[in-house]
Each structure stands twice: as C-alpha cells, then as structure tokens.
Amino acid sequence: MIRLKETVFAVALVLAVWASIMHPAGMTTDQGMTFGIVLITLALWGTGLVPGYVASTFLFVALILTGLFAPQDVFSSFASTAIWLVVAGFVIGAAITHSGLGARLGALARPHLSKSYAALIGGLMILGMGLGFVMPSSLGRAAVLVPVGMALADALGLEKGSLGRTGVAVIIAVGTNMPSFAILPSNIPNIILSGVAEQSLGAHFSYADYLLLHYPILGIVKSAAIVGLVLYFFPASVAVIAEAPAPVTGSSRRQWVLLAILMVTLGFWSTDQLHGINAAWIGLATALVLMVPQLGFVPPPVFKNAVDFSMILFVAGALTLGTVVNASGLGDIIAHAVLQVLPFQQGSDFLNFISLSLLGMVTSLFTTAPGAPAVLTPLAPELAQTTGFTINTVLMTQVIGFSTVLFPYQIGPLIVAMGLAGENTRHLLKITLSLFVVTILVLLPLDYLWWMLLGKF
C-alpha cells in the first residue's frame, strides 16, 4: 500500500512538473505552475503520505514563495465563515462533553438505539437526516451530534480504536452532511449554486421543488446505502449489559443551562433566512458564552485540548485550494477540458445526464465541492444548448456531481466531524470510494428514472 501511495505521488509530481513547463490546455505560465502545485497538494491529501495539515502548509508556502498569490489571498480562508464555524464546533462539542450533557443525552437515546449495532448506526443516520431540516450548517449538526454519538458509543462498550466506534464516527460525519445536499439551504455548495444561478442567470430555485427532485434518491436511498456500507466496513456488536447503566456525572443544573443555550443556538441556526445572521457568527457567539471561565462550561484547560489546530489548517487548505483554482481561471480550463471529452449528444438524454453528473464530479475533485457551482454555473447555457436540456435541468445535475465525492478533502465538514470524534479521516475513504461506485452503478440510473417521472427530460 505504501509503495502504491508513493507511486501515485511520483506520478502526480511528474505531471506537476510537466504542467509547469508545458502549460497544457492553453494555460499561462502562472496557471501551469498553480496547476502543478494543486496536483501535488491533491496527491498528498489523497495518498495520506503526510498528515493533511502538512499538505495544506505546503500549499500555502508554495503559492506564496512562487509569487503566484499574495499572502492575504492565500490566507483569506482563515477569514471565512467555515473556519470560524469549525472553531465554534470544537468549543460546543467540548462543552457538551465536559458538562456531561453528551453522556446524559446518550443515556436517554440508549434504550432506542442499543438493541443492535445496526439499530445504532441506522438511528444515528436518521438523527443526522432530521437535523438537516432544522440546522443550516453541517458543521453545526456535527458539533451537536458527535458528542452525543461518542458518549453513546462509550455506554455501549465500543472502545476507542474499535471498528464499531469508528463506524459511529463515520455515520455521524456522513449522516450530518450527505443527505442535506438534497435540502436547498442546508449545505454550502447548495447555497452557492442558488446564489450564482440567480446572480448570473436569473434562475430561482423553489425549496419544495428542489427537495422533491433530490431527496428521494440523494437523501433517502443514498442514506440507506451509506448505512449498509458502514455496517459492512465497520462491523461490530453492542455490549449487552444486564445491570443498570452507570449514573451520569456532572452538574444537572449546568447541563440544563447548556441545553437551553444550545436550543437558543439551534433556534437561530434554523431561522437564519429570517434574521440573516450567518451560522458561523451564531456559533461563535455561543462559543464566546461557553468559554467564559466563570460559567464553567469550557474551562481554560479544557479549551486547550478542545481546538484541533491541525484540523483548522487542513480545512483552510481545502478552502484555499478551491479559491485559487477559481481565481486563477483553472476551474474554467478544467471544466472545458472535461467538456470536450464527455460524449454529449442531443436526443441521448441518459448519456447527457450521466455526462453532466460526471462533469460535476470531476470538477469538484479540483475545486472541492463548494467551488464547483461557481465554475460550472456560468457554463449552463452552453451545456443546455449542447444537450437539449433546460438550463434548470443542467443546473440541477450539478447537485449530483458535487455531492458525489471520491476523497474526503472535497467536503470539509466530513474532515471536521471526524476530528471532533477523535478518529482518523482515512476511514472515510472506504465509504467515499465505495459510495462513488454505488452512485455510478445504482443511484445515477435511479435518479434518471425519477427525473423522467417528474418530466425533467
């Protein structure tokens, strides 16, 4: 396996040097060098030869030392709402764990989810899907559910390092993110797609129409497939404990106060379209309250261990990569290059549907999921003319594309959720790679049939 990773990285390195010298696909010198740096970064993330934060630091250093981007542009990701929602998520998660609220909620959920390991995994997926309708941020959903899920894993005898505990972390990471791609305001790429489509094309998406089009397959069927894959790759059995569960520790009064704070936070998160306050600033305000030492929710010693700076570096790198690909014009070049090799043909609806979905998948490999809509949406009129689809249908195929990932780095919240759970992100690869195959072979044909039934072709 190590030799395979080294081989993949060596190939990427050769391609990076070639792109920097030869400037393929009409790239300028700067674009060729940027493309080379992006290839090396992607290879480091994809192979796991070095930790993700090391690859991100390479990206920062390479872009600055080569003079391709100014430091303020490279580090603009640290000013993004995503980064501060990550920080808020770490603090909220620490408060839930330190106060004992996570263990208490886990104890309450235990009778319903402890009948079997399958019931546990399926139940956590349903909880993640349900939160997608009331919380607009997948990072916020993970911050709430991870401490509860891990406390439940502890109560059921799933020890750290076990397949079962890893399965719990994976199902929470994926369950709080993947199904919500089918809910318009519940994931960042969805919102970007909606905003860019409205601004550049005058297109407007209905919440109900979007939900009806995507949720039956990308929400329900895909979630069922994910549960099956987690049970297959991370098999386990929960402990059957005859005696009463151990009493939950921690101040009951403090737990009730924390629960009230979280309910207020959840209320603001779920009504963001009314008040217009970004989920990150709501989360940061909550984190500020929780960090006040006198309140005791997250004392300074707990805070020091709560925030994982390596995870923040990783997420910042993923955001920076998407930014530089779009800002440099590489996104357009990559999308057009892929466009030339895909077999579009008017009248061949199924072939065009598959090709458009693949276009989104390939583009998001380089731009990450949030960057794909910004690159592909301006191409919608051209793609509509080529395929014979309506512009709205072309735009909706993007959702299938950017929600189907090969590598975890494409969706930052997956990485963050695993970090909150204290698990290695490499475990996600088993799910993302196998789910990609399931999507191509099963979900795409099902989606096509569903869209036909709704009269989209």
Side-chain angles (χ1 to χ4, degrees):
M1 180 62 73
I2 294 178
R3 288 185 177 180
L4 176 60
K5 292 179 178 180
E6 291 175 343
T7 301
V8 170
F9 178 73
V11 171
L13 189 60
V14 171
L15 289 174
V17 174
W18 171 78
S20 300
I21 297 173
M22 301 304 296
H23 313 144
M27 295 180 186
T28 64
T29 300
D30 284 356
Q31 286 174 332
M33 293 178 64
T34 303
F35 186 60
I37 293 170
V38 167
L39 276 180
I40 294 174
T41 305
L42 292 177
L44 290 173
W45 278 338
T47 60
L49 281 176
V50 296
Y53 64 88
V54 176
S56 293
T57 305
F58 162 78
L59 176 66
F60 300 147
V61 172
L63 291 173
I64 292 173
L65 292 185
T66 55
L68 293 170
F69 287 86
Q72 59 266 31
D73 296 324
V74 173
F75 296 122
S76 63
S77 56
F78 286 94
S80 70
T81 56
I83 286 294
W84 292 103
L85 199 50
V86 171
V87 174
F90 279 127
V91 174
I92 293 171
I96 293 173
T97 301
H98 177 69
S99 68
L101 179 60
R104 185 173 295 277
L105 294 176
L108 291 174
R110 180 179 175 181
H112 307 286
L113 302 181
S114 62
K115 295 178 181 178
S116 69
Y117 180 65
L120 173 64
I121 296 300
L124 289 172
M125 171 58 85
I126 291 173
L127 287 174
M129 295 170 69
L131 286 174
F133 286 95
V134 295
M135 293 181 68
S137 165
S138 56
L139 289 172
R141 294 190 291 272
V144 170
L145 196 53
V146 164
V148 176
M150 303 323 290
L152 194 55
D154 288 335
L156 296 176
L158 300 175
E159 299 178 354
K160 191 170 181 61
S162 66
L163 284 177
R165 188 180 183 87
T166 301
V168 169
V170 169
I171 201 67
I172 294 174
V174 180
T176 53
N177 182 268
M178 291 285 188
S180 53
F181 277 111
I183 306 170
L184 183 57
S186 292
N187 260 357
I188 291 175
N190 309 2
I191 297 171
I192 294 174
L193 170 61
S194 177
V196 176
E198 181 177 358
Q199 186 175 12
S200 61
L201 303 175
H204 298 272
F205 302 148
S206 159
Y207 178 96
D209 289 344
Y210 186 99
L211 187 72
L212 177 63
L213 183 65
H214 294 298
Y215 205 77
I217 307 300
L218 296 184
I220 298 173
V221 178
K222 191 172 187 176
S223 295
I226 291 168
V227 169
L229 290 172
V230 170
L231 292 175
Y232 176 77
F233 285 112
F234 307 101
S237 59
V238 295
V240 179
I241 304 176
E243 64 269 17
V248 179
T249 59
S251 167
S252 178
R253 179 177 176 274
R254 181 172 292 150
Q255 290 170 8
W256 278 108
V257 174
L258 175 58
L259 185 61
I261 293 172
L262 293 179
M263 289 299 101
V264 172
T265 304
L266 179 58
F268 275 99
W269 271 340
S270 60
T271 57
D272 66 331
Q273 291 185 327
L274 296 178
H275 53 68
I277 304 175
N278 190 280
W281 312 139
I282 297 169
L284 197 59
T286 299
L288 173 61
V289 173
L290 298 178
M291 288 188 297
V292 174
Q294 288 79 2
L295 298 179
F297 292 113
V298 184
V302 174
F303 176 79
K304 291 177 183 178
N305 297 321
V307 179
D308 185 352
F309 187 64
S310 65
M311 187 61 62
I312 293 175
L313 275 178
F314 182 94
V315 174
L319 294 172
T320 295
L321 183 137
T323 299
V324 301
V325 167
N326 287 326
S328 65
L330 279 175
D332 289 332
I333 292 174
I334 293 168
H336 278 98
V338 175
L339 191 60
Q340 298 303 315
V341 300
L342 290 174
F344 292 112
Q345 184 178 344
Q346 281 207 16
S348 300
D349 290 346
F350 180 69
L351 188 62
N352 291 334
F353 176 78
I354 297 296
S355 296
L356 286 171
S357 301
L358 289 173
L359 177 62
M361 295 175 196
V362 174
T363 302
S364 67
L365 274 172
F366 295 92
T367 63
T368 68
V375 171
L376 294 177
T377 301
L379 303 178
E382 177 185 345
L383 291 169
Q385 185 176 6
T386 302
T387 60
F389 292 167
T390 65
I391 289 180
N392 185 269
T393 298
V394 170
L395 291 172
M396 289 297 96
T397 59
Q398 284 189 43
V399 181
I400 302 172
F402 61 62
S403 66
T404 305
V405 300
L406 270 172
F407 302 106
Y409 75 82
Q410 294 173 249
I411 301 178
L414 294 179
I415 306 298
V416 174
M418 292 298 282
L420 290 173
E423 295 287 335
N424 197 301
T425 57
R426 72 173 184 272
H427 299 298
L428 285 170
L429 267 175
K430 294 179 180 180
I431 301 300
T432 56
L433 292 176
S434 56
L435 189 59
F436 182 86
V437 175
V438 171
T439 299
I440 297 296
L441 297 180
V442 180
L443 299 184
L444 275 183
L446 285 177
D447 240 330
Y448 176 76
L449 293 175
W450 178 244
W451 288 31
M452 277 188 63
L453 186 63
L454 296 177
K456 287 295 179 180
F457 305 114

